[in-house]
Amino acid sequence: VVALPPPSASLVEQLHAHNNPFSPTEDRFTPHDPPINWYALGDSYTAGPGTGEDYDEDKDCARNVGSYAVQLENEFPFNVTHKLDFIACSGYTSADSLIQARDVIKQDWADFMVMTLGGNDIGFSSIAKECLVKAEFFPGDCDVTLAKAKSLLAATEFETNIHAVYDEVFAKLKDDRHYQLYHIFYHRFFNDATEWCNGKTFAIRNPKLTHTLRRKMNNLADALNKRLEEVAANYIRRQHGKASWSLASRLITINPDKLTDEDGKTYGLFDGHRFCEPGVTNLKDPSVWFFGTFSHDSVQKREGSTQKRLAAPEILTQTFHPRTAGFTAMKRVIQESLQKNRPAEH
């Protein structure tokens, strides 16, 4: 992935102020006349619960206009007409996405698809809530929950289920190298080195955010992303010998915690914007790119509008998901990945 330099505290402000604008390019890759058609599918890390106003009337899926998909729709990386079908749904597992790919995705319509998928197969968001915001007197054990998640991650079924989604997606795309799937991974929640956060909690009687707990949660995110990379690599190897895969992979992965800058240095997109960063003393600080418990979004509402009143399910769902500012940074990485992987050919 061609990515931004390591993000600074002012990155989002620069983007919003258009001091660092993204430049769309001519589309000389798509082998047909406009528009470019594309889907955004998968789970809540694409749907964007809590990020701005509702995208549609489907409250269960919690699709919102601050998601990277809608921001990408509004700032498309190519100077060409395009059409998005936004079908991501909060809570979706691979099994749910497989059904959706079979029943909803149109045959030979899309030029590419973007998705996040795999987190709910191990209960990623539920684990965060179990380990970080569960009152201490409620039953359950974080270590047991984490061990179960790691077991699910290592199971053959984890890979088989995601490969089934890949198979169905590529069956709905034309069998040609110009038709692609972009699989986007997940984020660590914490800076786990700072001292000030050791005594902090997300609410009264919640677990303290010790070094140990923060490292456990970050290690799970790393393990999930590593496993997803293995799953994708194994799938790509299975395509060996197929003409439509001979020049380049049609499955592109984006790990936002393992980007590379122009000097070859690896960094995380949310570095400096996670919970418990140095120089911050509040878990709900506007510089944090994740929703905490019952926290508001990171961008100002339009003049004359009011803060959206979230229904009970969505205000819970948004917890530990990216705010709009985080999705803005994610959008930029996807823009550049699309330009890199859809190069001029004619």
Side-chain angles (χ1 to χ4, degrees):
V1 173
V2 177
L4 290 168
S8 66
S10 63
L11 172 61
V12 172
E13 288 87 343
Q14 290 174 0
L15 291 174
H16 282 307
H18 303 288
N19 291 329
N20 187 23
F22 181 81
S23 298
T25 60
E26 295 299 320
D27 173 42
R28 296 182 180 177
F29 182 84
T30 306
H32 60 80
D33 293 334
I36 293 178
N37 299 315
W38 58 290
Y39 282 101
L41 64 153
D43 59 27
S44 52
Y45 276 71
T46 294
T51 56
E53 299 169 1
D54 296 334
Y55 181 80
D56 54 28
E57 296 181 357
D58 189 337
K59 302 296 184 182
D60 292 333
C61 286
R63 289 183 282 264
N64 285 275
V65 299
S67 66
Y68 75 76
V70 179
Q71 293 194 51
L72 190 64
E73 179 185 30
N74 293 333
E75 295 183 56
F76 202 60
F78 303 105
N79 288 319
V80 65
T81 57
H82 58 96
K83 185 175 182 180
L84 164 66
D85 196 344
F86 188 17
I87 59 175
C89 192
S90 297
Y92 264 27
T93 62
S94 294
D96 298 314
S97 292
L98 178 61
I99 294 170
Q100 187 180 60
R102 287 173 176 168
D103 297 346
V104 178
I105 292 177
K106 291 177 281 190
Q107 185 68 47
D108 296 340
W109 179 79
D111 292 284
F112 68 87
M113 305 189 200
V114 293
M115 74 173 186
T116 50
L117 193 68
N120 287 325
D121 289 37
I122 65 165
F124 188 51
S125 293
S126 299
I127 293 162
K129 294 167 187 174
E130 168 81 16
C131 293
L132 299 174
V133 299
K134 186 192 70 176
E136 59 188 12
F137 49 78
F138 284 165
D141 184 287
C142 177
D143 287 336
V144 171
T145 301
L146 289 173
K148 180 180 178 182
K150 290 178 181 178
S151 177
L152 291 171
L153 201 56
T156 302
E157 289 79 5
F158 182 85
E159 179 165 324
T160 300
N161 292 341
I162 292 178
H163 280 192
V165 177
Y166 289 166
D167 282 340
E168 191 62 34
V169 164
F170 283 110
K172 291 297 182 76
L173 293 170
K174 291 181 180 179
D175 187 22
D176 182 286
R177 63 187 176 83
H178 297 89
Y179 300 88
Q180 304 164 322
L181 172 64
Y182 292 75
H183 189 171
I184 301 150
F185 299 166
Y186 299 90
H187 309 265
R188 300 186 199 106
F189 294 135
F190 295 102
N191 180 315
D192 57 25
T194 51
E195 296 291 337
W196 72 266
C197 226
N198 282 329
K200 294 291 185 178
T201 65
F202 282 104
I204 297 173
R205 296 186 177 275
N206 282 178
K208 290 184 179 180
L209 301 177
T210 62
H211 291 301
T212 299
L213 180 56
R214 284 180 272 156
R215 285 170 186 152
K216 286 178 180 178
M217 297 305 302
N218 283 349
N219 288 342
L220 179 63
D222 290 342
L224 174 58
N225 285 347
K226 181 179 179 181
R227 181 70 169 119
L228 288 171
E229 194 65 68
E230 292 173 350
V231 167
N234 289 340
Y235 187 83
I236 292 168
R237 277 192 287 271
R238 280 177 45 193
Q239 314 312 311
H240 180 71
K242 295 182 179 179
S244 62
W245 291 71
S246 60
L247 295 180
S249 175
R250 298 172 61 200
L251 172 59
I252 295 95
T253 60
I254 300 175
N255 182 349
D257 269 343
K258 197 176 180 181
L259 301 175
T260 305
D261 66 18
E262 293 178 352
D263 297 323
K265 181 180 178 182
T266 300
Y267 69 97
L269 184 64
F270 278 35
D271 287 351
H273 298 282
R274 308 181 200 273
F275 295 116
C276 302
E277 296 285 8
V280 179
T281 58
N282 185 342
L283 295 171
K284 296 183 180 181
D285 191 273
S287 68
V288 177
W289 284 354
F290 293 108
F291 286 106
T293 53
F294 301 100
S295 59
H296 293 301
D297 200 4
S298 52
V299 297
Q300 292 288 329
K301 297 295 176 181
R302 294 194 306 268
E303 185 176 354
S305 68
T306 58
Q307 181 75 34
K308 184 176 85 169
R309 296 180 62 87
L310 297 175
E314 187 172 351
I315 202 168
L316 296 175
T317 301
Q318 73 177 26
T319 307
F320 306 120
H321 285 76
R323 292 170 162 178
T324 295
F327 280 129
T328 298
M330 196 67 239
K331 170 208 65 181
R332 180 63 177 268
V333 171
I334 300 168
Q335 286 173 322
E336 297 195 354
S337 181
L338 283 162
Q339 288 188 346
K340 175 185 176 183
N341 290 288
R342 300 178 70 83
E345 293 186 339
H346 57 81

